[in-house]
C-alpha cells in the first residue's frame, strides 16, 4: 500500500482497482496507473493527505485512498 | 474563424491566450483558474480565440470540465489549438489523441520546454510532429515567445480533417465503432468515430447527445455486446480502462521515438515543499503568512497611505470644490449635494484604495506562486472532518478578494454536494468590500491591535463556515461520496509584471464601482437624508432616511447598535458592501478638522463596534453574490437559504458577543 | 441659476443611469459579460455522477 511507504521511499503501482470510482478516474487522468513509479513526498499529520510524486508531477490524495493503492516497494 | 484553445489544467493556457489576443485574463497557478470559457480576438485579427477550462480528458468529472465537453458538442469551432506541457507529455497526449479523433484541424503549442530540459526530458519536436501528423510550435506562454509562429501556422489554410486514425483499438472496438457510426450517420456534424469512442468511455454528455439523435435500444445493445466481449478477453477490464490502456500504449510508442531522457537536477520546488507542507510547520506557516498580510494591510503600509489620502480629501479637495462651487454661484442644494453627498460618499470609499490593493496583491501572489494548492492539501484534514474537501478552501481564499469569483471557482469541485456546500459557505468569507468597514472601525476603536482584530474577523468567518459545513453536511446535505485528488503544480517565481496586472485587474473593479454604483448610491442616500416629510433641508434625524432606518433600528438594539444610522447603512450594504462606508460618511456628517473615526465614538462603544463588524462580516451576501449563487445552483430555494441562514447566524453571533461581553463587564 | 439646474440634472441623470445599470448587471451574475452567453449551457447542468 502507498500509505505504508515512508517519506522518500519509492514504489511501483500494482493495482488501483480497489480505489473509489471517481478517484480512480482522476488518478488515470493524472497519469497514475498500474506500472507507474511513485515516490512519497510528504505525509500530513492527523491522518491527513499524502503527497506523492511521479515523473516530476506531484499530487495529493487522502490517506484512505492511498490505503487502497497496492504498490510494490522498489 | 473560431479557434478553441484547449489543454490540461495549469499548462499555461490563459497566459498563451493573453499573449495571442493581447488582452488580459486572470492567470493563476493552480488547476482550474478558468472555469468559464472566454473569447478574445487574435492580435492580427485572423479570428476569435476561445479559452476553455483545462481538462485532462473530454469525458468530464466536474462541472468546469463539462463546459468543455458541451462546447465541443454544441458550438461550432473551425480549428483547435492544443497547448501541451512538455514536462508532462505523456499525460497531456491523452487529451491530444481525443482531440485528433474529434477531427478538426489541430495545432499544438508546446509549452514549458525549459522545465522539461531541467528534468532531463529532451523532445525532438520535428519527430513528434511527424508522428502525430500535427504542426507543433514550441512556445513560452508566459513571455509570449513563439506566438508569432503559432499565429502564422494557424492562419495557413489546412485541409479539413486529415482523417488519420492514430490508434487502432483492436478488432472488437473498431467493429463496434462502425456499427455505431451506421446508426448515427447523417444525424450529426461531429466526427462519428469520436462520438462512438467517447460514448464507449462513458461520457455522460455524449450519452445525452446520442440519445437525441439515435435509438437508445440499438446503441445500448451494441455497447453491451462489446463490453461482454472485452470483459471475457481482457480478464475483466472495463471498456473505459481498455480504451485508456490502448491510448497509453500508443503514446508510449510515440514517446519512445520522440523523447530522450537524461539525468535531472532536483528542482527547487521539492526543497520549498519540504518546508511549507511540513507535518508540523504547514499550518503555522499559513497563519503567519495571513498575519503578515494583515499587518501590511492595516498597520505597516495600508493605513498610513489611507490616512494620507483622507487628509488630502478632507483638506485640499474639499476646499477646491468649495471654491469652484462658490465661484460659479452654486445654490445651497447643489453645494450640499456635492460636498456632503459626493465628496463624502465617493471619496470616503476611495481613500481605502491602498488597503484594497495591498490585499489583492497578496491574493495574486498566493495564486501565482503555486501555494494555493498546497494550502488545499494542508487544510484537507480539517475540511474532511466537516464534510468538505481541501479543494473547497481555494474558492474560499478567492472569496477574500470577492465572493463572486469564489463561488464560480467552486465549479472545480467534483461532487455536487460538496460544490453546493462550498457555494453556500463562500459568502461568509470576508471580501475586500467589507475591508473598509473594518479599517474604519479598528482605526477608531482598537488602535493598538488593528491587524489582530481584523485577523480575528477573517478567522471568525472561516470558523463559522467550517461549523456550518459540519451542521449542513450532517443534516441537509448528507452523503458519503467525497473526492479529493489535487494536482500540486511546481512553484513559480512570480513575475512582477503579471502580479501587478492581476492586482490591477482585481482592484480596477473597486475603483470602477466607486465611479458608478457608489456615486449613484451616494446621490440618492444623500437626497434621502436631505429631504423629509417636512420638505427639503430638514434636520437629518427627521429625514426619510431616518424614518426608514428607525423602522428597523429596534431590532438591532439587542446587538448593540440600535440607531437609525446603522440600520440605514446595513440596508444599502445589500446592494454592495462598499456602500456601507459611503452611507456612513454621508449620515455621520463630519465637521471640518474632525474625522469620522472620532465622531463614531459618540455612537458606538468598542464592544458595539466589534459586534457591528461581526454583523457586517456575516449578515448577507451582496446582490451580485446572491445572483451568482442563483446562477450556479439554479435553485431559488438554496439562494434564499443562503440569505436567511446568514442573517440568522449574524444576528445570533452579534447577540452573543454583545450581550456576553456586557455580562463580562466589557463596554 | 441655470448652472445649478445643469449640474443637478447631470448628477441625478448619471446617478440614475449608473444605478439601473449596476443593478441589472449584478442580477445577471458573472456571465453577463460573456460573448458566448447564448450558446453557453454550462450554468444549468451538473455532470451526472454515478
Amino acid at each position: 500500500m502507498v500509505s505504508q511507504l515512508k517519506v522518500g521511499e519509492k514504489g511501483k503501482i500494482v493495482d488501483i482497482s480497489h480505489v473509489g470510482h471517481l478517484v480512480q478516474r482522476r488518478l488515470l487522468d493524472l497519469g497514475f496507473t498500474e506500472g507507474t513509479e511513485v515516490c512519497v513526498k510528504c505525509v500530513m499529520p492527523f491522518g491527513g493527505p499524502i503527497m506523492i510524486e511521479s515523473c516530476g508531477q506531484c499530487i495529493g490524495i487522502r490517506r484512505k485512498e492511498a490505503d487502497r493503492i497496492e504498490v510494490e516497494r522498489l | 474563424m473560431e479557434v478553441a484553445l484547449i489543454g490540461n489544467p495549469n499548462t499555461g493556457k490563459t497566459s498563451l491566450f493573453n499573449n495571442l489576443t493581447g488582452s488580459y485574463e486572470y492567470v493563476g497557478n493552480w488547476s482550474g483558474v478558468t472555469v468559464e470559457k472566454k473569447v478574445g480576438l487574435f492580435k492580427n485579427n485572423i479570428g476569435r480565440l476561445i479559452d476553455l477550462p483545462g481538462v485532462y480528458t473530454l469525458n468530464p468529472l466536474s462541472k468546469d470540465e463539462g463546459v468543455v465537453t458541451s462546447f465541443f458538442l454544441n458550438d461550432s469551432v473551425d480549428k483547435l489549438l492544443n497547448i501541451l506541457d512538455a514536462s508532462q507529455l505523456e499525460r497531456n497526449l491523452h487529451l491530444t489523441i481525443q482531440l485528433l479523433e474529434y477531427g478538426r484541424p489541430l495545432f499544438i503549442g508546446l509549452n514549458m520546454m525549459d522545465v522539461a530540459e531541467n528534468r532531463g526530458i529532451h523532445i525532438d519536436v520535428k519527430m513528434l510532429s511527424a508522428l502525430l501528423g500535427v504542426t507543433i510550435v514550441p512556445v513560452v506562454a508566459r513571455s509570449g515567445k513563439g506566438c508569432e509562429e503559432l499565429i502564422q501556422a494557424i492562419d495557413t489554410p489546412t485541409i479539413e480533417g486529415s482523417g488519420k486514425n492514430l490508434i487502432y483499438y483492436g478488432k472488437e472496438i473498431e467493429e463496434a465503432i462502425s456499427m455505431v457510426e451506421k446508426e448515427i450517420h447523417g444525424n450529426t456534424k461531429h466526427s462519428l468515430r469520436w462520438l462512438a469512442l467517447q460514448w464507449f468511455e462513458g461520457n455522460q454528455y455524449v450519452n445525452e447527445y446520442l440519445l437525441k439523435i439515435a435509438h437508445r435500444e440499438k446503441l445500448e445493445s451494441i455497447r453491451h455486446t462489446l463490453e461482454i466481449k472485452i470483459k471475457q478477453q481482457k480478464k475483466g477490464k472495463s471498456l473505459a480502462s481498455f480504451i485508456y490502456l490502448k491510448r497509453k500504449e500508443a503514446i508510449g510508442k510515440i514517446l519512445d521515438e520522440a523523447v530522450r531522457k537524461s539525468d535531472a537536477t532536483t528542482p527547487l520546488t521539492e526543497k520549498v515543499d519540504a518546508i511549507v507542507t511540513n507535518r508540523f510547520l504547514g499550518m503555522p506557516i499559513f497563519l503567519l503568512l495571513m498575519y503578515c498580510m494583515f499587518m501590511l494591510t492595516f498597520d505597516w503600509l495600508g493605513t498610513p497611505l489611507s490616512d494620507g489620502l483622507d487628509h488630502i480629501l478632507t483638506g485640499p479637495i474639499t476646499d477646491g470644490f468649495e471654491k469652484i462651487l462658490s465661484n460659479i454661484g452654486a445654490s445651497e442644494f447643489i453645494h450640499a449635494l456635492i460636498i456632503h453627498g459626493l465628496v463624502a460618499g465617493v471619496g470616503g470609499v476611495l481613500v481605502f484604495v491602498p488597503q484594497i490593493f495591498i490585499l489583492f496583491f497578496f491574493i495574486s501572489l498566493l495564486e501565482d506562486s503555486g501555494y494555493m494548492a498546497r494550502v488545499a492539501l494542508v487544510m484537507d484534514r480539517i475540511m474532511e472532518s466537516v464534510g468538505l474537501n481541501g479543494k473547497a478552501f481555494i474558492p474560499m481564499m478567492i472569496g477574500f478578494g470577492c465572493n463572486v469569483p469564489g463561488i464560480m471557482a467552486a465549479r472545480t469541485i467534483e461532487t455536487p454536494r460538496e460544490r453546493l456546500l462550498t457555494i453556500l459557505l463562500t459568502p461568509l468569507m470576508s471580501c475586500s468590500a467589507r475591508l473598509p468597514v473594518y479599517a474604519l472601525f479598528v482605526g477608531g476603536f482598537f488602535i493598538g491591535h488593528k491587524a489582530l482584530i481584523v485577523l480575528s474577523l477573517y478567522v471568525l468567518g472561516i470558523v463559522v463556515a467550517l461549523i456550518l459545513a459540519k451542521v449542513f453536511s450532517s443534516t441537509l446535505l448528507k452523503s458519503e461520496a467525497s473526492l479529493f485528488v489535487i494536482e500540486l503544480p511546481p512553484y513559480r517565481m512570480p513575475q512582477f509584471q503579471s502580479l501587478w496586472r492581476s492586482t490591477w485587474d482585481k482592484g480596477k473593479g473597486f475603483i470602477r464601482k466607486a465611479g458608478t454604483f457608489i456615486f449613484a448610491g451616494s446621490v440618492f442616500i444623500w437626497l434621502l437624508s436631505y429631504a423629509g416629510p417636512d420638505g427639503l433641508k430638514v434636520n437629518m434625524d427627521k429625514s426619510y432616511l431616518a424614518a426608514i432606518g428607525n423602522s428597523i433600528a429596534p431590532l438591532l438594539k439587542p446587538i448593540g447598535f440600535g440607531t437609525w444610522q446603522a440600520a440605514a447603512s446595513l440596508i444599502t450594504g445589500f446592494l454592495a458592501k462598499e456602500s456601507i462606508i459611503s452611507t456612513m460618511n454621508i449620515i455621520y456628517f463630519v465637521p471640518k478638522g474632525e474625522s469620522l473615526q472620532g465622531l463614531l465614538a459618540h455612537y458606538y462603544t468598542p464592544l458595539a463596534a466589534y459586534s457591528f463588524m461581526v454583523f457586517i462580516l456575516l449578515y448577507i451576501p451582496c446582490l451580485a453574490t446572491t445572483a451568482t449563487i442563483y446562477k450556479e445552483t439554479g435553485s431559488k430555494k438554496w439562494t434564499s437559504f443562503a440569505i436567511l441562514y446568514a442573517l440568522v447566524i449574524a444576528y445570533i453571533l452579534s447577540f452573543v458577543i454583545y450581550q456576553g461581553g456586557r455580562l463580562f463587564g466589557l463596554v | 441659476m441655470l448652472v445649478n439646474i445643469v449640474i443637478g440634472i447631470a448628477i441625478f441623470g448619471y446617478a440614475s443611469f449608473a444605478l439601473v445599470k449596476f443593478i441589472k448587471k449584478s442580477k445577471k451574475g458573472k456571465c453577463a459579460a460573456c460573448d458566448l452567453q447564448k450558446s453557453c449551457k454550462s450554468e444549468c447542468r451538473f455532470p451526472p455522477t454515478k
Side-chain angles (χ1 to χ4, degrees), chain B residues 346-579:
Chain B
V346 179
V349 169
L350 281 178
V351 297
F352 293 104
V353 163
Q355 281 160 325
I356 301 271
F357 269 72
I358 294 173
L359 185 79
F360 281 142
F361 180 81
F362 271 94
I363 292 178
S364 304
L365 189 70
L366 283 179
E367 289 172 355
D368 221 31
S369 61
Y371 185 60
M372 201 77 111
R374 268 79 179 175
V375 175
L377 186 75
V378 171
M379 286 293 173
D380 182 64
R381 187 69 197 89
I382 296 178
M383 301 297 267
E384 189 189 4
S385 64
V386 299
L388 277 172
N389 76 53
K391 266 193 192 170
F393 208 71
I394 294 180
M396 291 184 178
M397 295 276 286
I398 298 170
F400 285 152
C402 172
N403 290 166
V404 173
I407 289 169
M408 299 291 288
R411 286 185 173 188
T412 56
I413 295 168
E414 289 90 350
T415 57
R417 183 190 68 91
E418 289 175 327
R419 176 162 173 262
L420 178 60
L421 208 48
T422 311
I423 290 174
L424 290 178
L425 296 173
T426 299
L428 298 179
M429 298 302 114
S430 182
C431 71
S432 63
R434 286 167 238 192
L435 190 144
V437 182
Y438 309 151
L440 185 73
F441 277 83
V442 293
F445 295 98
F446 307 99
I447 296 181
H449 320 277
K450 279 188 264 195
L452 209 62
I453 291 286
V454 178
L455 184 63
S456 79
L457 287 163
Y458 277 73
V459 172
L460 182 72
I462 298 175
V463 170
V464 170
L466 292 182
I467 293 173
L468 288 179
K470 181 76 194 164
V471 173
F472 293 163
S473 65
S474 49
T475 54
L476 293 168
L477 291 160
K478 270 192 240 176
S479 161
E480 287 301 306
S482 176
L483 166 59
F484 179 73
V485 176
I486 191 166
E487 198 186 341
L488 299 162
Y491 284 104
R492 282 198 308 227
M493 201 55 191
Q495 292 171 316
F496 181 77
Q497 198 203 359
S498 76
L499 262 187
W500 165 245
R501 277 212 303 201
S502 80
T503 306
W504 170 244
D505 200 46
K506 297 188 186 92
K508 197 170 64 181
F510 183 80
I511 296 176
R512 190 189 296 131
K513 224 178 192 178
T516 55
F517 173 70
I518 300 298
F519 184 99
S522 300
V523 168
F524 290 110
I525 295 290
W526 172 82
L527 189 66
L528 283 174
S529 74
Y530 190 76
D534 303 334
L536 288 179
K537 218 189 148 201
V538 293
N539 182 326
M540 213 184 278
D541 289 329
K542 297 208 167 59
S543 65
Y544 287 122
L545 193 62
I548 298 170
N550 272 327
S551 65
I552 303 177
L555 279 175
L556 300 175
K557 192 142 182 45
I559 54 175
F561 40 90
T563 58
W564 69 262
Q565 288 96 330
S569 53
L570 287 175
I571 295 172
T572 59
F574 171 63
L575 293 173
K577 297 280 164 83
E578 292 95 332
S579 62

Side-chain angles (χ1 to χ4, degrees), chain B residues 220-235:
Chain B
E220 278 178 357
S221 81
I222 298 174
R223 179 160 69 177
H224 194 65
T225 330
L226 179 62
E227 267 170 355
I228 291 172
K229 274 190 201 164
I230 295 287
K231 270 225 170 91
Q232 280 169 353
Q233 287 183 11
K234 317 285 169 189
K235 289 172 265 166

Side-chain angles (χ1 to χ4, degrees), chain B residues 110-125:
Chain B
L110 192 58
N111 195 20
M112 309 203 196
M113 289 278 272
D114 48 337
V115 182
E117 291 282 331
N118 283 339
R119 292 228 182 99
I121 303 167
H122 309 282
I123 299 167
D124 182 344
V125 177

